[in-house]
Amino acid sequence: PVYSKLIAGIGPMDGTLPSVPDRRIHSIHTLYRDAKGDMLILDEFTNGPVEQSWDAWAKKKPREASDTRNGREWIKTVLKADTVEGCPKIGNWMRTQLQHQRTAAIKDDWAWWTWNNEQSNFGKLLTVIGGRDETKQLFFAERPTCEVARSEWLSDTGY
């Protein structure tokens, strides 16, 4: 693995050793974004309705003039998932995840980012949690670049 040298000698990261937290991904969540803001859909890995996926909306030619996904309504009435809405609440949710040493994966809203011409303020949310207590966060992007920021930084001063 790419990071094997960084974790060499730690031992299994599956919760079997009292000194090493379980780092397996037990839950995956989906970030949904629109003009109303950010929404974290808990315990769901989704791309919207099968018959009209969010990615298909972003790829549509000619491009839609506005966001026609109606994702919030679909999440509420069809998916019926628990959600965390707004950057302040998402930041607090992430802080709680870190405090409890939980590991999770979050699927970003590729469609929203693409439809907004890949501008960084429409990209993945990267939570930066500071303070007196040290936190360790790991953020993966599939094709990071150094020329242009492609993530939106969400610092604890902003939520």
Side-chain angles (χ1 to χ4, degrees):
V2 176
Y3 299 99
S4 60
K5 290 181 182 178
L6 298 174
I7 61 174
I10 292 177
M13 300 175 83
D14 59 5
T16 56
L17 294 176
S19 61
V20 182
D22 187 347
R23 291 295 178 232
R24 296 172 294 173
I25 296 174
H26 294 283
S27 56
I28 188 165
H29 315 289
T30 301
L31 182 66
Y32 176 81
R33 303 179 84 185
D34 61 16
K36 293 180 181 176
D38 305 314
M39 174 188 285
L40 186 61
I41 310 166
L42 300 177
D43 298 310
E44 294 288 344
F45 182 68
T46 185
N47 189 24
V50 173
E51 60 277 2
Q52 191 174 356
S53 77
W54 297 333
D55 285 2
W57 163 78
K59 294 175 185 177
K60 191 174 180 181
K61 303 288 182 201
R63 185 185 139 147
E64 296 279 355
S66 63
D67 187 347
T68 58
R69 297 179 293 170
N70 297 316
R72 289 177 186 272
E73 182 66 22
W74 182 81
I75 293 162
K76 181 181 178 182
T77 60
V78 177
L79 200 57
K80 298 179 181 175
D82 290 331
T83 60
V84 180
E85 295 188 48
C87 283
K89 290 180 181 175
I90 293 172
N92 288 332
W93 179 87
M94 289 185 176
R95 180 185 295 276
T96 300
Q97 294 294 104
L98 283 170
Q99 288 170 341
H100 290 94
Q101 297 191 18
R102 294 183 187 130
T103 303
I106 299 174
K107 176 192 176 296
D108 68 318
D109 193 341
W110 179 88
W112 183 246
W113 178 67
T114 300
W115 189 75
N116 283 284
N117 300 314
E118 300 182 2
Q119 296 175 40
S120 63
N121 56 323
F122 298 102
K124 295 174 175 80
L125 289 181
L126 170 59
T127 317
V128 179
I129 299 174
R132 288 183 289 166
D133 297 328
E134 180 181 325
T135 62
K136 294 180 180 143
Q137 301 156 244
L138 191 56
F139 181 82
F140 285 102
E142 62 280 356
R143 287 183 296 261
T145 62
C146 295
E147 298 84 31
V148 178
R150 295 189 178 264
S151 300
E152 181 176 2
W153 291 73
L154 176 64
S155 73
D156 62 355
T157 59
Y159 60 83

